[in-house]
Amino acid sequence: MATLGIDFGTSNTAAGIAPDGVPRLIALEADAQTLPTAVFFDAEAKEMLLGAAASEALLAGAEGRYMRGLKSLLGTSLMREKRLLLAERLDFIDIVARFLARVKDRAEAATGQQFTAALSGRPVRFHSANDRRDAQALEDLREAYARAGFDRVDFMNEPEAAALANRQALRPGDLGLVVDIGGGTSDFTLFRQGGTDEIDILASYGIRLGGTDFDRSLSIGRVMPQLGMGSEIRHSFGDGTHLAPNAIFNDLATWAKIPFLYGPETRRAAADLLKYAEHPKRLARLVKVLDEELGHDLAFAVEAGKIRANEAEGEAEPVIDVSMLKPRATLPLPRDWVRKRLDPLAQQIGMAAETTLQKAEIDPAAVDRLIFVGGSSLMQVVEAALRERFPRAELHRGAALTAIVEGLALCSSMDVRG
Ligand SMILES: Nc1ncnc2c1ncn2[C@@H]1O[C@H](COP(=O)(O)OP(=O)(O)OP(=O)(O)O)[C@@H](O)[C@H]1O
Ligand SMILES: [Mg+2]
């Protein structure tokens, strides 16, 4: 029975095996080792696209329903809600299952093997503060693997997989801390390099905070006010004004919530806000975004702005490209502003790293190496928040997007799963 290692990420998914103890990643689309965790139900072609093809169809303006960040919905009541997609009634577990089934198909086509079992990554905590929801998230994911056609699925903490993949970056006896900052969660594993191939895992910990939260914060700070968030709305009866309610704007700034905004109630609420708005120009943009289903286009623009603002100083001032709202329009995104805005989130990540050390009752000064993986570990604010807490540790950058799947692939071949 062959086992496929799968890192089902909030933003990116990867799969791999390790036939001779060497991780071999499977090209899930074209030559790419990672596949954006996104689907597009194409209304015209009547098919589900995934990965880059899904995002291309969205950005090309094809008719259909796009979804990204599905992992964030695991454990919530939304997972079991059925919706009509391409003439089928599907819940979100079905959608995740279909995504995983396509990963399975592609892995089988690429290797000529059949995978009846999966070794899947999981964040240490899907939901930081809610045990019941956290347990439900794992059950939801387990069910999705079953519906995808896997007879068996085992789970491994994502940062523990990254520790295994990066163990050779440590000298024998060294203490390492994996810092895996992804799209949806931040995960940590403290471990000691044993000398041979073994590692000793001392503690793992995680919180529900990642790059999509950075996107949300930047969107709420920079983009949503331009759509009327926080602006005055006149009362429909009598004098006076109140502020536009935040809920629509918060959801519009949140990757996984965007598809839920395109129903008639939200559109009606937005039209009402426009009718009584003190700043009708701004609320007219909100109405346009909902009518033309531009929520994801905006989210992509914010994410791209975030990545540009994080790049080296000296280049032109970063901007968010909002040309979908108005031709050639941009919003400035000064680097200093981004740093200040994201620092509180980076501090939460730093504190979670400290909690990991407290769980093992080890002093942060004892850590020899920080091993950075996950796309959001590339953020300067994250690096700063970690360096100040572990001043003695050397920084080692693992493969940002593939360290976890490499560890899962290794472990799937070693058969040392617990
Ligand atoms: N060059 C970069 N600079 C800053 N952030 C980046 C960069 N490249 C990718 N990211 C961010 O990294 C995140 C995706 O990272 P990754 O693929 O590790 O997450 P994931 O594994 O899918 O999520 P998770 O592990 O939380 O479920 C996104 O939020 C993305 O915007
Ligand atoms: Mg990840």
Side-chain angles (χ1 to χ4, degrees):
M1 167 168 107
T3 301
L4 183 63
I6 301 183
D7 176 17
F8 175 63
T10 309
S11 305
N12 296 294
T13 291
I17 52 175
D20 325 301
V22 180
R24 188 175 140 216
L25 304 194
I26 290 158
L28 289 177
E29 63 179 7
D31 300 328
Q33 292 185 318
T34 61
L35 178 72
T37 310
V39 296
F40 184 75
F41 289 87
D42 190 319
E44 249 167 68
K46 307 244 179 304
E47 60 172 345
M48 185 188 96
L49 304 173
L50 65 165
S55 306
E56 278 157 25
L58 170 85
L59 296 175
E63 194 66 35
R65 175 66 66 237
Y66 178 82
M67 298 171 194
R68 189 180 182 218
L70 290 166
K71 187 181 182 183
S72 305
L73 300 177
L74 294 171
T76 72
S77 57
L78 294 172
M79 286 309 290
R80 311 262 162 184
E81 273 178 22
K82 288 203 189 283
R83 11 177 60 212
L84 196 61
L85 287 157
L86 304 181
E88 278 184 283
R89 289 182 63 75
L90 303 177
D91 64 17
F92 278 87
I93 295 182
D94 291 320
I95 299 171
V96 173
R98 288 184 182 200
F99 183 87
L100 293 171
R102 296 275 283 273
V103 168
K104 180 176 185 284
D105 285 348
R106 287 181 186 184
E108 289 177 348
T111 60
Q113 290 187 61
Q114 256 210 309
F115 296 105
T116 49
L119 177 62
S120 174
R122 59 155 297 171
V124 180
R125 300 282 304 188
F126 289 91
H127 295 274
S128 314
N130 186 329
D131 288 345
R132 196 192 52 74
R133 227 179 225 200
D134 189 60
Q136 185 61 50
L138 187 64
E139 278 321 298
D140 289 348
L141 187 54
R142 190 186 294 285
E143 189 167 337
Y145 275 101
R147 290 192 204 172
F150 290 98
D151 298 337
R152 172 179 176 156
V153 56
D154 291 291
F155 292 96
M156 181 176 189
N157 282 330
E158 288 158 7
E160 295 176 15
L164 197 63
N166 281 281
R167 64 195 187 285
Q168 266 131 19
L170 270 67
R171 292 170 294 258
D174 271 2
L175 199 56
L177 179 68
V178 170
V179 175
D180 169 19
I181 317 299
T185 59
S186 293
D187 293 273
F188 308 89
T189 287
L190 181 70
F191 69 105
R192 196 173 292 284
Q193 156 71 277
T196 54
D197 246 5
E198 247 103 277
I199 58 168
D200 186 12
I201 291 171
L202 304 174
S204 292
Y205 182 66
I207 55 171
R208 183 183 175 84
L209 201 167
T212 55
D213 299 285
F214 295 163
D215 298 346
R216 182 202 290 119
S217 176
L218 298 181
S219 180
I220 287 173
R222 262 288 173 273
V223 182
M224 292 305 142
Q226 299 299 320
L227 273 58
M229 185 176 197
S231 70
E232 313 256 349
I233 307 292
R234 290 187 309 277
H235 293 160
S236 47
F237 296 104
D239 300 332
T241 61
H242 58 278
L243 296 185
N246 285 338
I248 298 180
F249 303 101
N250 283 333
D251 284 358
L252 197 52
T254 307
W255 280 100
K257 296 283 178 66
I258 296 168
F260 299 93
L261 287 170
Y262 297 145
E265 318 84 62
T266 318
R267 285 179 202 221
R268 221 166 11 242
D272 259 5
L273 289 173
L274 171 60
K275 192 160 147 201
Y276 297 106
E278 292 277 8
H279 299 281
K281 259 194 176 160
R282 297 188 197 165
L283 275 305
R285 295 188 190 119
L286 175 67
V287 168
K288 178 181 166 81
V289 165
L290 296 179
D291 277 352
E292 298 178 21
E293 304 194 352
L294 297 172
H296 286 109
D297 304 66
L298 269 182
F300 271 112
V302 171
E303 183 183 19
K306 170 189 76 175
I307 292 174
R308 274 195 300 272
N310 185 54
E311 280 162 7
E313 308 276 340
E315 287 154 41
E317 172 145 291
V319 295
I320 300 175
D321 172 353
V322 288
S323 52
M324 71 296 283
L325 298 178
K326 190 176 145 198
R328 290 181 302 282
T330 60
L331 295 169
L333 196 62
R335 291 188 174 87
D336 276 349
W337 181 85
V338 171
R339 246 194 305 272
K340 283 206 188 76
R341 178 91 189 163
L342 299 184
D343 187 59
L345 302 180
Q347 294 304 327
Q348 286 182 50
I349 291 173
M351 285 187 283
E354 288 175 336
T355 304
T356 315
L357 274 284
Q358 283 156 14
K359 276 168 68 95
E361 297 182 15
I362 287 179
D363 191 291
V367 174
D368 298 295
R369 282 233 169 163
L370 296 174
I371 294 161
F372 272 32
V373 298
S376 302
S377 72
L378 298 168
M379 294 295 291
Q380 290 174 29
V381 280
V382 170
E383 180 176 335
L386 269 296
R387 275 195 192 277
E388 76 188 36
R389 286 174 169 85
F390 299 92
R392 208 183 63 74
E394 270 174 60
L395 180 62
H396 171 81
R397 287 196 181 274
L401 300 186
T402 53
I404 288 131
V405 72
E406 282 171 18
L408 292 168
L410 273 172
C411 200
S412 74
S413 72
M414 282 159 41
D415 210 19
V416 292
R417 298 168 256 152

